[in-house]
Amino acid sequence: MGPELLGPANAAFHLFNFFVLLYLLSFINLSASREVVFPPIAAVHPNGGSYQVPLAEDDPTLETWGIAGLTTFANLPHVDCMSQEDKVPKYDVAFLGAPFDTLELHLPGARFGPSGIREGSRRIVPGFATSIYSGRNDFQSWARAVDCGDAPLTFLDNTVALKQLESAHRSVSSREANATEKSRTPRIITLGGDHTTTLPALRATYQNWGPVSVIHFDSHIDTWDPSVLGGGISHYAGVNHGTFLHIAHEEGLVLNGSSVHAGIRAPVRKGDLKNDRRCGFEIVTARDIDRIGVQGVIERLKERVAETLVYISVDIDVLDPSYAPATGTPEVGGWTSRELLSILDGLEGLKVIGADVVEVAPIYDTRGETTTLAAAEVAYSLFTLMVETPVKSRRD
C-alpha cells in the first residue's frame, strides 16, 4: 500500500463513509433477521411418505436419533427389569449393565464400560438397522429387546458385588418372556465391567439352561488356577478376572470338553495350558487367523461347541489395541474389528443362551470413541445371533 493511501485526507474520507453507512442501517428493520423462515415444502416426509409437506408445520416429529433423551443401548426402551412390581413390560432379550472393575488386575475403569458402550451405540436406531450384509433388521423381528439399565453393585466388597450381580441376572431372566412361543425365558447380554462379571452370569444361566459351552473371545486364557493367580494371598483374592473360568469349571457351570478360547496371544506360565485343558478348553490363537482365515476360525469354533447350548463372552481386548485401546489389559497383535464381527456373524445357527461384552474402560479411549463403537457393534452382533436362533429353556 502506497503512502498516498494513508494520508489524513484519505482517512477522513473513509471515516465519513462509515458514518453514512450507520445512518442508512438505522432505517432497516433488523428484527426480521431474528426469525427463521422456512421454505414452503420439504423434500422428504418425516414419516416416510412419498409426498412433500410443509417444513414449518405446527407439530414437527419428535423422533430421536440417539442424541436426545436418556441414553440406552441402541436407543431401545428402558425397562426396570429388576423392579419388585409385577406389571413390567415383557421382553425377550435384555441388555444389562455390570458396572464393576475392582477385580481388574491392571488398568481400572471398566466400571464405566456399560455407559461407554451405550454411548457408542447411539447411532444404532431400531427402525434404521437393516444389515447391509444380511438384509435383515433383527430389531424388527420376533424378539422384543430392552435396556434394563445397570445392576446396582457395591464397589466396597467384591463378594457382595458378585452376589448382587447374580441376583440381578436371576431377577431379569425370571420374568415371563414376551414371545413365549419361542421361549418363556428372556436371554441377557451383559455390558461390562471387568471379566469377573461373567461368573455371576454363568451361575444364573445354569438355573435356566444347565451347563453350557463357552466361546471365549480374549487375548488371555482366564482359566488360571486361583492358587496361582491371587489365591496365594487369600481365598478372597483368588476370585478375579483371570480365574473366573477355572472357578466356573469347578462349579460345574461349563461343559467339559466343548468350550473354546479365540484370539489368545498373551503369555502364560508353565502348567497353565495343562490346567486350561483340564478346564475343558481348546485354543484358537490370534495368529491362527493368518493361517486358516476367518472362515477357518468360524469352522473350528462351530465344530468345538457342536449342538450344545452356548454362552459367548467377548473381552474387547481380543481386538488389537489399535482398534480397542480402552481396555484393562491390552495385548498387541490382536484381531481387527472387521475380523471379529465377521467371525461373530459366521456363528449364526448356534444356540446362544447368553452373552457379554466386557473389559471396556472408556477413560483410555480415543477422541473418536474407537473402543466403545466397536464394543457396541459386537453387542449388536450377539443380539442378532440370539434372534436368529430361539432356544427353549428348562421352563419350556
Side-chain angles (χ1 to χ4, degrees):
M1 180 179 293
E4 68 278 2
L5 297 180
L6 299 176
N10 196 52
F13 174 76
H14 286 297
L15 184 62
F16 173 77
N17 287 338
F18 173 73
F19 282 112
V20 169
L21 179 61
L22 288 180
Y23 175 76
L24 293 175
L25 287 175
S26 67
F27 292 96
I28 301 176
N29 183 6
L30 295 178
S31 62
S33 65
R34 300 190 186 102
E35 299 179 4
V36 178
V37 180
F38 291 104
I41 58 174
V44 180
H45 189 272
N47 295 320
S50 59
Y51 56 93
Q52 293 180 323
V53 296
L55 263 176
E57 57 187 357
D58 294 333
D59 298 311
T61 176
L62 294 178
E63 180 183 6
T64 63
W65 283 81
I67 55 175
L70 297 176
T71 302
T72 61
F73 182 82
N75 298 281
L76 292 170
H78 172 260
V79 171
D80 187 3
C81 311
M82 292 163 278
S83 170
Q84 299 300 315
E85 301 293 330
D86 293 330
K87 293 183 179 180
V88 172
K90 294 184 177 182
Y91 48 87
D92 300 295
V93 178
F95 290 87
L96 175 65
F100 177 84
D101 66 0
T102 48
L103 288 173
E104 168 69 56
L105 299 180
H106 189 45
L107 301 174
R111 71 180 65 180
F112 302 106
S115 58
I117 297 171
R118 291 187 179 100
E119 291 285 337
S121 74
R122 286 174 297 176
R123 65 180 182 80
I124 304 175
V125 181
F128 199 81
T130 300
S131 169
I132 197 69
Y133 303 106
S134 68
R136 301 188 306 260
N137 182 348
D138 288 301
F139 282 125
Q140 296 182 336
S141 186
W142 63 269
R144 184 171 190 265
V146 300
D147 188 332
C148 295
D150 290 351
L153 308 178
T154 179
F155 53 86
L156 299 175
D157 189 306
N158 295 333
T159 301
V160 172
L162 295 181
K163 289 181 179 179
Q164 288 175 316
L165 183 55
E166 182 181 349
S167 177
H169 271 270
R170 292 182 186 276
S171 176
V172 173
S173 62
S174 66
R175 295 190 179 277
E176 186 87 351
N178 183 57
T180 53
E181 70 279 6
K182 301 290 186 181
S183 176
R184 295 177 59 193
T185 303
R187 288 176 282 180
I188 299 173
I189 298 173
T190 308
L191 310 177
D194 80 45
H195 218 152
T196 320
T197 57
T198 301
L199 182 58
L202 289 172
R203 287 170 173 166
T205 295
Y206 183 87
Q207 179 183 17
N208 293 313
W209 313 92
V212 296
S213 299
V214 174
I215 298 180
H216 174 229
F217 291 92
D218 205 318
S219 62
H220 313 88
I221 56 175
D222 291 349
T223 54
W224 276 283
D225 190 323
S227 65
V228 175
L229 188 64
I233 301 174
S234 69
H235 177 74
Y236 179 88
V239 181
N240 56 66
H241 74 156
T243 64
F244 71 93
L245 284 176
H246 179 104
I247 296 169
H249 161 73
E250 287 187 336
E251 294 181 1
L253 309 177
V254 179
L255 291 171
N256 196 2
S258 59
S259 294
V260 59
H261 306 293
I264 300 298
R265 59 190 182 277
V268 295
R269 288 179 280 193
K270 187 176 181 180
D272 289 340
L273 295 182
K274 181 179 179 180
N275 182 66
D276 187 67
R277 289 191 294 271
R278 187 176 68 84
C279 291
F281 281 82
E282 185 178 272
I283 294 177
V284 177
T285 69
R287 294 186 184 182
D288 281 339
I289 202 170
D290 300 326
R291 180 172 52 85
I292 63 177
V294 168
Q295 188 58 39
V297 172
I298 293 170
E299 291 171 359
R300 284 189 57 180
L301 300 183
K302 282 190 166 183
E303 180 181 357
R304 181 66 173 174
V305 300
E307 296 299 317
T308 62
L309 300 180
V310 178
Y311 185 99
I312 299 180
S313 182
V314 180
D315 185 328
I316 204 64
D317 74 20
V318 71
L319 297 178
D320 188 83
S322 60
Y323 293 89
T327 188
T329 318
E331 301 282 354
V332 299
W335 289 342
T336 69
S337 52
R338 185 179 67 248
E339 288 169 340
L340 176 59
L341 293 172
S342 295
I343 292 169
L344 288 173
D345 288 349
L347 299 180
E348 184 176 320
L350 296 184
K351 300 174 183 177
V352 181
I353 51 78
D356 60 51
V357 186
V358 297
E359 296 286 356
V360 177
I363 189 63
Y364 312 113
D365 214 353
T366 66
R367 291 185 178 181
E369 302 178 335
T370 306
T371 311
T372 57
L373 285 171
E377 202 65 33
V378 167
Y380 177 57
S381 291
L382 295 170
F383 170 73
T384 64
L385 293 178
M386 291 184 176
V387 174
E388 290 307 307
T389 307
V391 186
K392 298 290 186 181
S393 70
R394 287 176 167 178
R395 291 162 57 186
D396 292 296

